[in-house]
Amino acid sequence: MLRLPFFTYLEPKSLADALRMKADAGPDAMFVAGGTDLYPNMKRRHQEPKTVISLMGIPELRRVESTTLGACLTLSELTARPPDRLTAAVSTAARLVSTPLLRNMGTLGGNLCLDTRCNYYNQTYEWRKSIDFCMKKDGHICWVAPSSPRCWAVSSSDVAPVMVAIGAEYRLLGPQGERVVPAGRFYHNDGINYLTKQPDEILVDVRIPKPNGWDAVYHKLRRRGSFDFPVLGVAVWIQWNRKTVADARIVLGGVASYPQEVPEAGTALRGGALSDESIAAAAEEAYRPSKPMDNTDFDLSWRKQMTRVYVSRALQQLRDRRTTPGLDV
Amino acid sequence: MADKRRVIGKALRKVDAAAKVTGATKFADDLAFPRMLFCKLLRSTQPHARIVSIDTSAAAKLDGVQAVLVGQDLPIPFGILPVSQDEHALCIDKARFIGDPVAAVAALTEEAATAATDLIRVDYEPLKSIASAEEAVEHPEPRIHDYGDRGNFHKLIDLEFGDANAGIAEGDMVREDLFFFEGSTHLPMEQHAAVAMWSPDQKLTLWTSTQTPHYVHRALAKVLELPAARIRVIATPNGGGFGGKSDPFNHEIAVAKLAMITGRPVKITLTREEVFYCHRGRHPTLMWVRTGVKKDGAITGMHFRSLLDGGAYGSYGVASTYYTGALQTVTYHIPCYHFQGARAFTNKAPCGPKRGHGTPQPRFALEVHIDKIAEQLGIDPAELRLKTLVPANSLTANYLRVGSMGLGKCIAKVVEGSGWKQKFRKLPRGRGVGLACSSYISGAGLPIYWNNMPHSGVQLKCDRGGGVTVFCGSTEIGQGSDSILAYIVAEVLGIDPFDIAVVTGDTDLTPVDLGSYSSRVTLMSGNAALQAAERARQILAVHAAKKLEIPVDRLSFAERRVYDAKDPKRGMSFAEAVQSAEAAEGTIGTVGSYTPPMSAGKYRGAGVGPSPAYSYSACVAAVDVDPETGIVRVPTIWIAHDVGRSINSAAVIGQVEGSIYMGLGEALMEEMAYRGNRNVVHKIPSLLEYKSPTTLEMCDVITYLVEDPDPNGPFGAKEVGQGPLLPVMPAVANAVYDAVGVRIDEVPITPEKVLKALRKKQKGEPGRHGPESFPDIPWPEPMRVPTPWEGGDGKAVSPGRPAITAERPH
Amino acid sequence: MTSESKVKIALAVNGEPTEIAFAPHKTLLEVLREDLGLTGTKHGCELGECGTCTVLLDGTPVLSCLVLGLACAGRTVRTVEGMAQGGKLHPLQDTFADLGAAQCGYCTPAFLLAAEALLAANPKPTREEIKDALAGNLCRCTGYIKIYEAVELAAARMRGEKAEPTTESLYGR
Ligand SMILES: Cc1cc2nc3c(=O)[nH]c(=O)nc-3n(C[C@H](O)[C@H](O)[C@H](O)COP(=O)(O)OP(=O)(O)OC[C@H]3O[C@@H](n4cnc5c(N)ncnc54)[C@H](O)[C@@H]3O)c2cc1C
Ligand code: SF4
Ligand code: FES
Ligand code: FES
């Protein structure tokens, strides 16, 4: 049986308590929500906190208001909300995470702060020992790109690309107080330092932009219909102006160490209707910078090719939805 | 007779069902004993290395550690086959793959045992590692083992039945194809576990999740140098086996030794990653086939070559290699046949028997090959197969004795049920159907180690109260073998199967049954149980008849009664029948046993392939292929299986559906992948990255049971646990071709491969993905065996070149 | 480092108030199996990748291998051992047994609990809804089909309908 290492477990009842406990325990402490990311990582010994501070007992983190989603809502709770346009893409993405059992435990906050993943890293200590470890934990080089100075572990959250695409804002609380960060600036393209969040900051909630004619969809590519992380996630956001695209954002998950926005693809759509041509052009733009590495399931050239297909399909869905009567934003 | 049966053929509950649905069944890891220690193995982090030194001193000093073992503590080798005694409980001088155990620790807690393994220092001197069979062919040095047929070949086989080249030349058309079948693993949901106990009277008991307690018993006696009489092996119910728990394993021997040293119970439960290292799964196999056919589809001759990647140890590999050539002949008539097979050692987890043992790979090749032949000849592939079927009650070119043969009926069922005629080559692009057939053995004709004893034994005890206990060495792995014993005995004695206590898989209590492998249990232990029950019935009948004052042959046994068939009111309860027999004769107990018929082949290697009966299946798969992504989905599979006769039809259907499931996984996504460039490390030893289909990938299955009773099976029963898996992979491959016109001559059929083939086709190249060549292999001189129709007697006329080093244990 | 002092919590297991002391790093899976002797809950990976360890926590199916024992203080846990009442099998257990939805039986406790939670929320699920609800549980033996049939049959019986298995599922075609 794979077991957790020894650690101290704390259950604060308020944000203030949580911050104080973190301050007391220092850098060896980590927050946990659902634990579906942290605990497997601890069992495989790639994250080794000596103190684990659970956020699940803090009522403030489980609040839902019309456009504000508490970080500790479970993914199941997110998807159980009556579907509305506003959170449709978010709940699609949430529903596509792993399995129903895991979604009953995993939270929105945990999903947005998910550790980056790599086939050389998400392995037991013994396995990693046989490749002499890697830069992300216990070792020195990157096996995916041995000459690279950085780690290329993959951003594997399903919900994060959607948040970046729709321009959500994250509210963080730390010892220095509160700050609000646009989702797009919450992530770094670095497999080791993948968040701009400080370790002692708590993600409190996420604010979804008000409805003003935008729509968004999320498409996920993976081997199986459940369990599997995305090897490609495509989140597309469109600001409609009647039948034309006023603005658009295309964000790719599973291809870089952060949810990667492809601005050129958005530009290709701006100002026109969603025509077959503009869709193809945007898909091509998205395909070009998509640079998956050989550290997930499937071979990387196929994954890259799929960017084109999945971006087109996401855009087609948005177009179909726009032209389906009764579904106007 | 059939309609009068009360138990056989009915869809009854299994005898262990209630325990399983309440969580009461005790699997090996569920056992706990006072003072029990926990064992952890330290495994090699090197794929191929000399072990220079091992320092266990720090580990031994750790708080809670009770004992530490290294290779020298268990110097005697073992292995499932007498010809491949090449494993040690813990590596002695050399580690041969990442995951090879090198040391073992017993401690008060699993945490302490794990911490102790971290403290063991192993000094390795790395050797060049061999990552694939092709590499092994190229690099005879360094040798992974110092035995085998030469270099890094474990086994080289060359068998020729009739003059295959001449036969092939007689064809109006000759077709050659290459195929590759990737390795896959069993992935039982239960991770292997074992608990050993050493009692003060110097007896060892081992509870273990094994499919073969008898072989574990023998291996323990050998390695621990204990008299077998002092060892008791209890096979706990297996949480899935599929062939993966059929070898004696390192961890079983290690906990046994640790229990002996510490005098305390010792338990080990492998982690999921370690289960991947035990492996013994499907051999990655490269295949080449050349066939001559007449215009009407009749096969004139076949030449088949296979190259198996065996991994680091022998396991069942010699048998697996023979199996890649053995069963080609039992479906379609092949008048002359040449088979060449090679198994290479590589620095990967050892391969062995997975569901279908050695035959799914060649079956995939053969069935896709036939599909291509049919296309080339312009014959419907179902028609072509029907025309070339092996007749029932016949002998094949390689001396396999086919008894009942229901493949024709199976094909007719799936063709009809699937609407084949309306769909084949007629569906819109992206949708397709494919057909494939197969056959499998119902137990092997020969035991694993040479002996003249029965393959299965049953003891039966009748209690005065009317209960009956059946004792048999067979092992319940979820296939329902315990229930089969109860059903058969209940049918014969006219009692309720739930009045029967079934005691199985315990070397102290039960007569030997060789184990749950080769689909042998229903046929062999079933026949043994049948014999024991009939003997008991005879004894009871004599005394009941006397008491009822009627002739013995007028007695009926049914509904817990023994009575006059002509006047059913006249009779007695089953319990009374036991009592009167017991009063007259003393305790009522009988035995039964089963030995398969002698095989017809007398050549060396003839031991692999013969079976008392062959099951047959035909399968049609429907697929949807997305031409933009190459993603293949399988909505429905129609399968007809010739099971001879169902003992329990619901259980038969369960085996069919489970086989389809596993076949679907192999067809589309399962692979035992390694990073050859990075130390030959297993790429994905986890349940997340080894892709087992979920409810969302599983197809609908439409099952047809074809019942064509075989005289060798109990009540006519043949196997069902493995055969229905075999046609799935080729049926899916053939359906993909029907859907989008590309040939994927390689399993698994992943979207990458499909898309590559589609791109090639667009460019005007052949729309195919698959291997391009078969390496040159130093085949031995063929062993020539004249076919039955050439007047052969099953013996070889030229003995073939003897193997370079005889198959001797080292 | 091989031992640390135990902590004690109170929770309700299968309806019974239970006090139990265990090492604080233990998961609910380990506490159930090793400290409470409830070995009906199984495990296949301990990493959230198979669903075999499913139990109901406050009525919701969760992966006990990723729930900390300590996090269960004051909560209710239901395991397979709690399903049969007064020696009588739960309707799901009955249909699983009758249809052969348990082959090796190793995944069965998890499927039963996931199915029980589904039926509590949705007494008349479609085949698709059953597949979705059970998509987090792997079974290597059955191909899931007998499991779907067993859930459908139990659901019908739990709704008070007189339902029997189809002949195709028991006898093929
Ligand atoms: C088998 C398996 C499959 C999976 N498949 C998917 C998938 O398909 N898609 C996907 O997106 N994810 C997947 N996951 C990952 C993960 O389970 C989910 O992303 C889940 O939502 C994580 O949430 P959690 O609450 O369990 O995270 P936790 O494990 O509790 O936390 C994850 C990280 O976030 C930090 N954190 C959590 N909450 C906060 C907060 N409020 N403030 C600050 N830091 C915080 C923690 O310190 C930790 O570092 C999978 C996991 C497993 C085991
Ligand atoms: S990308 Fe490189 S450094 Fe990062 S986890 Fe993978 S192998 Fe390690
Ligand atoms: S044991 Fe596999 S998910 Fe918990
Ligand atoms: S019944 Fe064996 S894993 Fe499901």
Side-chain angles (χ1 to χ4, degrees):
Chain A
M1 176 114 69
L2 269 180
R3 293 171 195 267
L4 286 167
F6 302 128
F7 61 94
T8 304
Y9 177 70
L10 301 174
E11 282 186 341
K13 297 284 170 239
S14 70
L15 281 168
D17 277 357
L19 290 175
R20 190 177 37 74
M21 287 172 178
K22 171 69 182 143
D24 291 349
D28 273 349
M30 277 181 83
F31 295 119
V32 72
T36 59
D37 180 42
L38 182 63
Y39 292 145
N41 287 353
M42 287 170 71
K43 287 184 179 187
R44 288 182 299 230
R45 299 197 247 172
H46 27 88
Q47 289 181 318
E48 300 179 293
K50 297 279 170 284
T51 302
V52 171
I53 304 166
S54 170
L55 302 175
M56 294 307 273
I58 302 172
E60 219 178 321
L61 297 178
R62 301 185 43 80
R63 263 211 304 256
V64 203
E65 278 149 28
S66 61
T67 56
T68 305
L69 303 171
C72 284
L73 292 172
T74 64
L75 298 171
S76 298
E77 284 165 343
L78 269 184
T79 57
R81 288 161 41 93
D84 60 61
R85 253 315 157 72
L86 211 52
T87 50
V90 173
S91 66
T92 306
R95 197 175 305 110
L96 290 170
V97 170
S98 192
T99 69
L101 303 161
L102 190 128
R103 295 196 293 274
N104 287 340
M105 310 165 70
T107 64
L108 173 63
N111 190 280
L112 299 178
C113 299
L114 188 64
D115 192 7
T116 52
R117 296 183 60 87
C118 169
N119 275 352
Y120 290 94
Y121 168 70
N122 297 100
Q123 304 275 6
T124 62
Y125 182 79
E126 290 74 16
W127 189 98
R128 288 183 290 123
K129 198 169 170 181
S130 40
I131 59 158
D132 201 17
F133 305 104
C134 77
M135 187 191 291
K136 188 157 157 79
K137 182 77 174 94
D138 304 319
H140 302 290
I141 72 162
C142 170
W143 290 110
V144 175
S147 56
S148 155
R150 62 163 274 212
C151 160
W152 295 83
V154 180
S155 164
S156 302
S157 160
D158 280 304
V159 185
V162 175
M163 294 302 187
V164 175
I166 65 177
E169 290 177 331
Y170 297 178
R171 186 156 69 99
L172 304 176
L173 185 71
Q176 265 74 51
E178 191 182 298
R179 62 187 180 115
V180 174
V181 190
R185 274 196 265 129
F186 189 70
Y187 302 100
H188 264 315
N189 193 14
D190 182 305
I192 294 172
N193 295 308
Y194 46 93
L195 298 182
T196 58
K197 180 182 93 62
Q198 295 306 309
D200 53 6
E201 282 182 306
I202 295 172
L203 172 60
V204 179
D205 54 33
V206 177
R207 290 184 206 155
I208 311 280
K210 296 255 172 341
N212 61 344
W214 63 263
D215 196 5
V217 294
Y218 178 70
H219 283 221
K220 173 175 184 175
L221 174 63
R222 56 175 160 179
R223 182 87 58 170
R224 301 175 294 181
S226 70
F227 285 103
D228 296 345
F229 282 91
V231 293
L232 170 68
V234 173
V236 182
W237 168 88
I238 282 187
Q239 176 71 58
W240 289 107
N241 180 7
R242 296 177 186 276
K243 295 262 184 278
T244 53
V245 177
D247 199 0
R249 260 194 300 273
I250 294 183
V251 179
L252 306 178
V255 296
S257 298
Y258 71 150
Q260 181 179 5
E261 189 191 338
V262 191
E264 303 83 355
T267 311
L269 296 170
R270 225 162 281 148
L274 271 189
S275 61
D276 288 349
E277 295 71 33
S278 69
I279 289 178
E284 198 54 39
E285 291 295 347
Y287 164 80
R288 224 169 285 146
S290 158
K291 198 176 162 219
M293 307 291 278
D294 185 18
N295 55 356
T296 69
D297 189 20
F298 287 116
D299 92 35
L300 62 144
S301 72
W302 183 78
R303 281 165 55 211
K304 181 168 166 69
Q305 292 173 52
M306 287 308 103
T307 318
R308 209 187 264 129
V309 179
Y310 275 66
V311 169
S312 308
R313 288 181 181 178
L315 288 167
Q316 280 156 12
Q317 192 198 352
L318 278 168
R319 176 172 66 186
D320 292 349
R321 200 141 87 179
R322 187 68 183 168
T323 49
T324 308
L327 270 175
D328 247 22
V329 183
Chain B
M1 175 87 183
D3 42 334
K4 274 206 287 187
R5 296 217 171 99
R6 288 174 166 79
V7 180
I8 300 303
K10 298 282 179 316
L12 298 176
R13 222 176 235 207
K14 290 189 194 161
V15 295
D16 52 3
K20 284 185 172 167
V21 299
T22 51
T25 302
K26 290 279 180 211
F27 295 90
D29 186 46
D30 299 338
L31 303 174
F33 297 99
R35 286 169 49 78
M36 186 169 81
L37 303 176
F38 294 84
C39 169
K40 196 84 193 150
L41 299 178
L42 175 72
R43 293 176 182 268
S44 172
T45 50
Q46 290 287 326
H48 197 192
R50 209 161 290 293
I51 297 173
V52 180
S53 65
I54 305 183
D55 179 2
T56 60
S57 52
K61 280 189 220 123
L62 188 75
D63 223 15
V65 170
Q66 303 290 300
V68 183
L69 290 178
V70 295
Q72 259 86 26
D73 298 318
L74 290 158
I76 299 174
F78 66 95
I80 183 71
L81 299 189
V83 295
S84 323
Q85 300 283 301
D86 60 2
E87 299 184 53
H88 286 92
L90 302 165
C91 300
I92 296 184
D93 47 354
K94 215 167 118 162
R96 293 183 173 84
F97 71 101
I98 289 179
D100 215 357
V102 292
V105 178
L108 296 178
T109 60
E110 196 168 8
E111 288 90 334
T114 308
T117 58
D118 283 353
L119 297 175
I120 297 174
R121 293 276 158 272
V122 187
D123 187 4
Y124 293 106
E125 178 193 313
L127 298 168
K128 183 195 155 38
S129 56
I130 309 267
S132 68
E134 284 88 343
E135 244 185 71
V137 174
E138 266 172 49
H139 298 282
E141 298 288 336
R143 293 186 79 187
I144 294 173
H145 284 280
D146 54 12
Y147 83 107
D149 275 353
R150 63 155 71 177
N152 278 312
F153 285 111
H154 175 207
K155 184 73 191 169
L156 290 167
I157 297 165
D158 198 322
L159 287 170
E160 188 164 11
F161 306 93
D163 187 341
N165 270 338
I168 293 168
E170 276 169 37
D172 298 321
M173 170 191 129
V174 175
R175 191 176 168 97
E176 233 179 82
D177 281 303
L178 279 161
F179 297 95
F180 179 66
F181 199 109
E182 181 56 283
S184 60
T185 201
H186 321 79
L187 208 80
M189 292 315 298
E190 179 206 26
Q191 300 137 311
H192 309 46
V195 187
M197 184 128 77
W198 179 246
S199 67
D201 58 357
Q202 312 284 293
K203 282 194 78 171
L204 175 74
T205 304
L206 183 78
W207 290 262
T208 179
S209 43
T210 180
Q211 302 176 232
T212 54
H214 176 61
Y215 298 132
V216 174
H217 191 201
R218 286 168 56 87
L220 286 176
K222 181 184 180 203
V223 179
L224 301 172
E225 297 180 279
L226 284 175
R230 295 294 179 86
I231 302 175
R232 176 181 186 186
V233 176
I234 301 173
T236 46
N238 288 201
F242 316 114
K245 297 171 179 168
S246 312
D247 287 58
F249 281 106
N250 318 60
H251 63 268
E252 293 170 324
I253 296 167
V255 286
K257 183 75 180 180
L258 288 166
M260 290 169 69
I261 294 175
T262 60
R264 297 172 69 159
V266 182
K267 171 152 112 180
I268 186 161
T269 305
L270 301 189
T271 62
R272 179 53 59 183
E273 180 179 352
E274 290 179 287
V275 174
F276 281 91
Y277 298 147
C278 285
H279 191 40
R280 320 287 156 152
R282 192 85 72 226
H283 287 73
T285 305
L286 179 66
M287 292 161 289
W288 170 90
V289 54
R290 193 155 71 99
T291 306
V293 277
K294 291 285 188 200
K295 281 201 189 74
D296 66 354
I299 295 168
T300 57
M302 182 181 286
H303 186 175
F304 198 98
R305 286 187 181 138
S306 59
L307 171 61
L308 290 77
D309 177 345
Y313 289 98
S315 182
Y316 285 78
V318 170
S320 318
T321 311
Y322 277 110
Y323 270 125
T324 63
L327 299 190
Q328 276 86 331
T329 55
V330 299
T331 42
Y332 318 115
H333 179 66
I334 301 174
C336 46
Y337 176 56
H338 187 183
F339 167 62
Q340 293 171 302
R343 182 179 195 260
F345 284 125
T346 58
N347 294 114
K348 303 195 278 197
C351 298
K354 180 183 168 194
R355 212 170 191 175
H357 193 189
T359 71
Q361 302 97 318
R363 183 52 65 182
F364 168 70
L366 181 61
E367 296 293 320
V368 176
H369 183 59
I370 298 254
D371 203 65
K372 295 181 183 187
I373 289 173
E375 159 123 21
Q376 228 171 317
L377 293 174
I379 307 178
D380 179 289
E383 294 300 321
L384 182 139
R385 286 177 170 88
L386 284 169
K387 274 195 220 162
T388 54
L389 292 182
V390 165
N393 305 311
S394 63
L395 210 52
T396 66
N398 56 343
Y399 290 87
L400 303 183
R401 205 180 275 123
V402 172
S404 66
M405 204 287 188
L407 184 53
K409 283 187 210 161
C410 292
I411 295 176
K413 290 264 187 204
V414 292
V415 162
E416 161 85 32
S418 66
W420 173 260
K421 297 238 163 71
Q422 296 79 54
K423 291 180 180 158
F424 180 65
R425 300 287 187 265
K426 296 192 180 94
L427 293 172
R429 179 171 152 85
R431 290 179 57 209
V433 287
L435 174 102
C437 300
S438 68
S439 173
Y440 197 65
I441 55 172
S442 308
L446 286 182
I448 278 171
Y449 63 98
W450 174 245
N451 71 81
N452 281 323
M453 294 173 280
H455 292 210
S456 192
V458 161
Q459 279 181 335
L460 196 145
K461 173 187 82 81
C462 298
D463 184 76
R464 299 175 185 182
V468 170
T469 311
V470 188
F471 301 88
C472 178
S474 63
T475 318
E476 176 62 56
I477 61 171
Q479 85 285 44
S481 59
D482 280 7
S483 301
I484 295 296
L485 293 169
Y487 298 149
I488 288 176
V489 171
E491 181 69 46
V492 175
L493 297 180
I495 56 179
D496 187 305
F498 292 87
D499 293 349
I500 295 172
V502 181
V503 180
T504 52
D506 181 329
T507 60
D508 260 13
L509 302 181
T510 60
V512 167
D513 172 274
L514 294 179
S516 288
Y517 62 93
S518 301
S519 273
R520 49 178 299 287
V521 184
T522 292
L523 189 135
M524 299 202 189
S525 76
N527 274 324
L530 186 60
Q531 187 180 56
E534 278 171 348
R535 286 174 175 170
R537 179 177 158 132
Q538 253 163 32
I539 297 171
L540 302 184
V542 168
H543 301 286
K546 218 180 269 170
K547 206 160 170 189
L548 296 174
E549 298 173 329
I550 54 167
V552 170
D553 57 15
R554 257 182 41 202
L555 283 179
S556 266
F557 283 64
E559 286 164 359
R560 297 195 178 108
R561 286 183 72 238
V562 181
Y563 58 89
D564 184 350
K566 292 223 170 108
D567 176 10
K569 279 200 281 314
R570 191 156 155 207
M572 64 184 80
S573 70
F574 178 78
E576 284 164 340
V578 175
Q579 288 156 15
S580 52
E582 191 174 342
E585 294 201 9
T587 305
I588 304 301
T590 57
V591 296
S593 52
Y594 179 76
T595 312
M598 288 284 285
S599 40
K602 309 286 178 227
Y603 54 93
R604 197 153 151 258
V608 176
S611 174
Y614 298 89
S615 77
Y616 288 92
S617 349
C619 166
V620 169
V623 300
D624 294 332
V625 184
D626 179 345
E628 271 190 294
T629 61
I631 293 173
V632 178
R633 292 193 199 290
V634 178
T636 310
I637 281 182
W638 293 263
I639 176 120
H641 184 72
D642 165 22
V643 66
R645 179 148 202 43
S646 322
I647 303 286
N648 175 336
S649 56
V652 169
I653 294 169
Q655 288 302 309
V656 172
E657 291 169 352
S659 295
I660 300 290
Y661 169 80
M662 206 165 267
L664 190 69
E666 290 189 35
L668 298 180
M669 56 185 78
E670 292 184 34
E671 53 190 316
M672 190 74 177
Y674 289 81
R675 288 201 182 274
N677 58 342
R678 190 83 60 237
N679 254 356
V680 212
V681 67
H682 193 296
K683 198 171 165 185
I684 44 167
S686 75
L687 270 171
L688 179 63
E689 294 300 335
Y690 183 92
K691 304 298 182 184
S692 183
T694 73
T695 56
L696 303 176
E697 284 70 50
M698 182 57 190
C699 56
D700 289 342
V701 179
I702 316 280
T703 306
Y704 305 89
L705 297 185
V706 169
E707 308 221 4
D708 184 359
D710 192 285
N712 283 339
F715 299 97
K718 306 196 281 193
E719 79 86 38
V720 63
Q722 315 195 56
L725 176 150
L726 303 174
V728 177
M729 295 74 77
V732 170
N734 292 340
V736 167
Y737 180 72
D738 189 43
V740 288
V742 297
R743 287 289 179 188
I744 310 302
D745 291 337
E746 193 177 301
V747 158
I749 301 166
T750 60
E752 294 103 311
K753 295 175 191 172
V754 175
L755 199 61
K756 267 188 205 152
L758 283 166
R759 293 272 152 87
K760 279 199 215 160
K761 198 178 168 200
Q762 273 167 4
K763 285 192 221 148
E765 295 164 31
R768 170 181 184 267
H769 182 92
E772 301 291 342
S773 65
F774 194 95
D776 279 338
I777 287 175
W779 301 110
E781 276 297 301
M783 185 186 300
R784 293 185 203 285
V785 185
T787 58
W789 32 93
E790 288 173 330
D793 57 0
K795 293 203 185 97
V797 287
S798 88
R801 184 170 50 84
I804 301 284
T805 42
E807 300 160 13
R808 225 184 312 110
H810 70 221
Chain C
M1 102 162 263
T2 53
S3 64
E4 60 186 343
S5 46
K6 292 187 172 182
V7 288
K8 192 159 112 182
I9 63 162
L11 74 171
V13 180
N14 296 323
E16 288 167 26
T18 308
E19 281 198 356
I20 180 74
F22 51 86
H25 68 286
K26 280 196 161 189
T27 58
L28 176 58
L29 171 71
E30 294 156 51
V31 173
L32 289 170
R33 290 179 52 82
E34 297 166 0
D35 299 292
L36 288 166
L38 294 172
T39 54
T41 305
K42 306 300 181 202
H43 57 100
C45 70
E46 304 96 64
L47 291 169
E49 302 174 350
C50 71
T52 310
C53 61
T54 304
V55 300
L56 303 187
L57 187 58
D58 296 332
T60 304
V62 296
L63 303 166
S64 63
C65 71
L66 297 185
V67 175
L68 209 58
L70 273 178
C72 298
R75 305 179 72 177
T76 67
V77 175
R78 182 163 165 91
T79 69
V80 69
E81 285 92 345
M83 285 185 79
Q85 289 299 323
K88 203 172 162 306
L89 296 184
H90 185 283
L92 277 163
Q93 291 176 311
D94 247 325
T95 56
F96 268 61
D98 281 339
L99 291 174
Q103 283 189 21
C104 78
Y106 197 77
C107 68
T108 308
F111 272 97
L112 286 166
L113 291 161
E116 192 187 21
L118 166 70
L119 296 186
N122 178 359
K124 200 172 179 180
T126 61
R127 180 63 69 97
E128 294 312 309
E129 287 167 336
I130 296 173
K131 286 186 184 177
D132 278 343
L134 301 181
N137 295 86
L138 287 178
C139 171
R140 282 293 276 181
C141 297
T142 61
Y144 309 109
I145 294 171
K146 291 278 170 280
I147 295 176
Y148 307 149
E149 291 168 354
V151 174
E152 285 162 352
L153 186 59
R157 289 181 181 164
M158 286 163 75
R159 295 192 302 265
E161 295 164 24
K162 262 207 145 47
E164 290 306 321
T166 64
T167 21
E168 292 86 58
S169 71
L170 295 180
Y171 294 99
R173 296 176 211 235

